[in-house]
Amino acid sequence: MKIAIIGAGNLGLSIAKGVLHSNGATTMYLTKRNLDEIKNFEKYGNVTVTSDNREAVKHSDILIFAVQPGHFQAILEQVKDLLTEKHVVISTITGFSISKMEETIGSDKYIIRSMPNTAISVSNSMTCICSNELGKKRIDLAKAIFNRMGHSLEIPEEQMQAATVICASGIAFWMRLIRATTQGAIQLGFDAKEAQELAMHTCNGAANLLIESGTHPEEEIDRVTTPKGCTIEGLNEMEHQGLSSSLIRGIVTSFEKISQIRKG
Ligand SMILES: NC(=O)c1ccc[n+]([C@@H]2O[C@H](COP(=O)([O-])OP(=O)(O)OC[C@H]3O[C@@H](n4cnc5c(N)ncnc54)[C@H](OP(=O)(O)O)[C@@H]3O)[C@@H](O)[C@H]2O)c1
């Protein structure tokens, strides 16, 4: 695969690292205006670093755009005459609709819209993707790229905002739960470093149990809650204090906020 990452900032570089670590590209172009921070990527023989977006587009098939939303339109204008049937345009730009992309480059292009999260930097992103009509023919290719850096799911474009809350903001929600568990562990006598180690690996194990076995969370809870035991007593106390309810309300509040921002 000949991949170009247009806008090699935080997200763009995370994607670049994921692709490079999984040997996912035959050639890779990385672009940004100021090249100082990405010069070192040229140590990988197949990587070219440039501020010339047009050169990157000419020499690549898969174009992953990871610039700030305010820059995207102008960059699409800059390269649109170079786009051919070989190109797959993948946008990571939050809030930039497929129809807006089609207005600029045409609906006769393969267009994919994606929503990764910051765990893409450790190749563990939950990435939601959708496409225009033609892009459906390249959705498996896009999934293959993002599956190298975690897990991907195709969703309708209307669900992209909801996916942003669950997957992108979701990183912050889970961090807070891990931090709270860490604080509890410190109170029980572990030092801060050990407490975080216990919290994050238990969290990772819980998620992996579900991923690997395909079970429902309540089934796994049943396995560890002895009648009259300490786990059910602690769990019920958490629920009396509103654990599930506060999480659901927080998720809905974030969704209401993102919906207002998009309208405004
Ligand atoms: N970070 C995340 O977790 C995340 C998750 C999902 C989606 N997103 C989306 O991903 C996009 C990028 O986010 P980010 O956090 O990676 O932003 P960022 O760190 O600011 O990266 C954007 C990069 O674009 C480069 N750039 C600006 N103008 C350019 C041009 N004309 N040609 C080529 N490169 C150009 C900038 O470098 P120069 O100034 O040197 O050109 C910068 O390095 C955003 O639209 C965001 O909505 C981010």
Side-chain angles (χ1 to χ4, degrees):
M1 279 192 286
K2 295 178 179 177
I3 298 182
I5 297 180
I6 312 290
N10 289 321
L11 181 63
L13 285 184
S14 292
I15 296 174
K17 284 174 199 158
V19 171
L20 287 168
H21 288 159
S22 59
N23 290 321
T26 43
T27 63
M28 183 185 280
Y29 275 75
L30 297 180
T31 80
K32 76 195 285 289
R33 292 166 302 183
N34 177 355
L35 299 178
D36 294 348
E37 291 157 29
I38 58 168
K39 272 269 174 234
N40 61 333
F41 273 82
E42 284 189 328
K43 71 177 179 231
Y44 300 97
N46 56 347
V47 175
T48 307
V49 162
T50 176
S51 40
D52 186 344
N53 292 328
R54 289 179 64 82
E55 186 198 347
V57 168
K58 268 187 237 163
H59 293 103
S60 307
D61 304 330
I62 317 256
L63 312 175
I64 302 179
F65 290 86
V67 292
Q68 291 292 341
H71 293 145
F72 190 32
Q73 180 71 31
I75 293 170
L76 282 180
E77 299 278 0
Q78 184 188 49
V79 300
K80 69 178 179 189
D81 64 301
L82 298 173
L83 297 176
T84 66
E85 68 278 1
K86 77 168 183 173
H87 288 112
V88 181
V89 172
I90 302 182
S91 160
T92 65
I93 287 103
T94 314
F96 207 102
S97 68
I98 289 174
S99 63
K100 218 166 153 195
M101 280 187 264
E102 283 186 335
E103 274 169 31
T104 309
I105 61 172
S107 56
D108 58 341
K109 306 290 181 312
Y110 300 108
I111 298 177
I112 311 278
R113 187 178 160 194
S114 67
M115 170 50 63
N117 65 30
T118 48
I120 204 157
S121 63
V122 289
S123 294
N124 225 333
S125 170
M126 176 65 236
T127 304
C128 289
I129 55 176
C130 57
S131 72
N132 69 345
E133 201 45 44
L134 195 64
K136 285 180 183 158
K137 292 187 180 157
R138 296 290 181 272
I139 206 93
D140 286 341
L141 175 75
K143 286 191 79 173
I145 292 171
F146 286 110
N147 285 344
R148 285 169 182 266
M149 295 169 267
H151 183 76
S152 65
L153 181 72
E154 184 186 356
I155 59 171
E157 189 176 23
E158 306 80 76
Q159 285 188 327
M160 222 51 179
Q161 284 182 191
T164 306
V165 170
I166 301 299
C167 307
S169 312
I171 290 283
F173 304 153
W174 286 106
M175 289 299 166
R176 194 50 72 77
L177 287 170
I178 291 171
R179 195 193 74 170
T181 311
T182 302
Q183 288 170 319
I186 295 170
Q187 193 167 345
L188 299 190
F190 292 98
D191 70 38
K193 193 169 168 291
E194 284 174 347
Q196 184 175 322
E197 203 173 332
L198 300 187
M200 61 192 180
H201 285 287
T202 304
C203 174
N204 197 24
N208 276 322
L209 264 180
L210 300 177
I211 292 165
E212 299 288 325
S213 63
T215 49
H216 187 279
E218 220 48 49
E219 219 176 311
E220 298 298 337
I221 288 175
D222 283 346
R223 289 209 175 113
V224 294
T225 44
T226 319
K228 290 190 168 179
C230 62
T231 309
I232 191 65
E233 193 141 339
L235 202 54
N236 283 347
E237 179 60 21
M238 289 177 201
E239 291 301 348
H240 291 316
Q241 299 294 335
L243 178 68
S244 296
S245 173
S246 68
L247 277 172
I248 294 164
R249 291 178 81 144
I251 285 168
V252 173
T253 302
S254 282
F255 181 69
E256 284 166 1
K257 180 68 182 178
I258 198 176
S259 306
Q260 273 171 21
I261 296 170
R262 297 284 170 258
K263 270 191 219 139

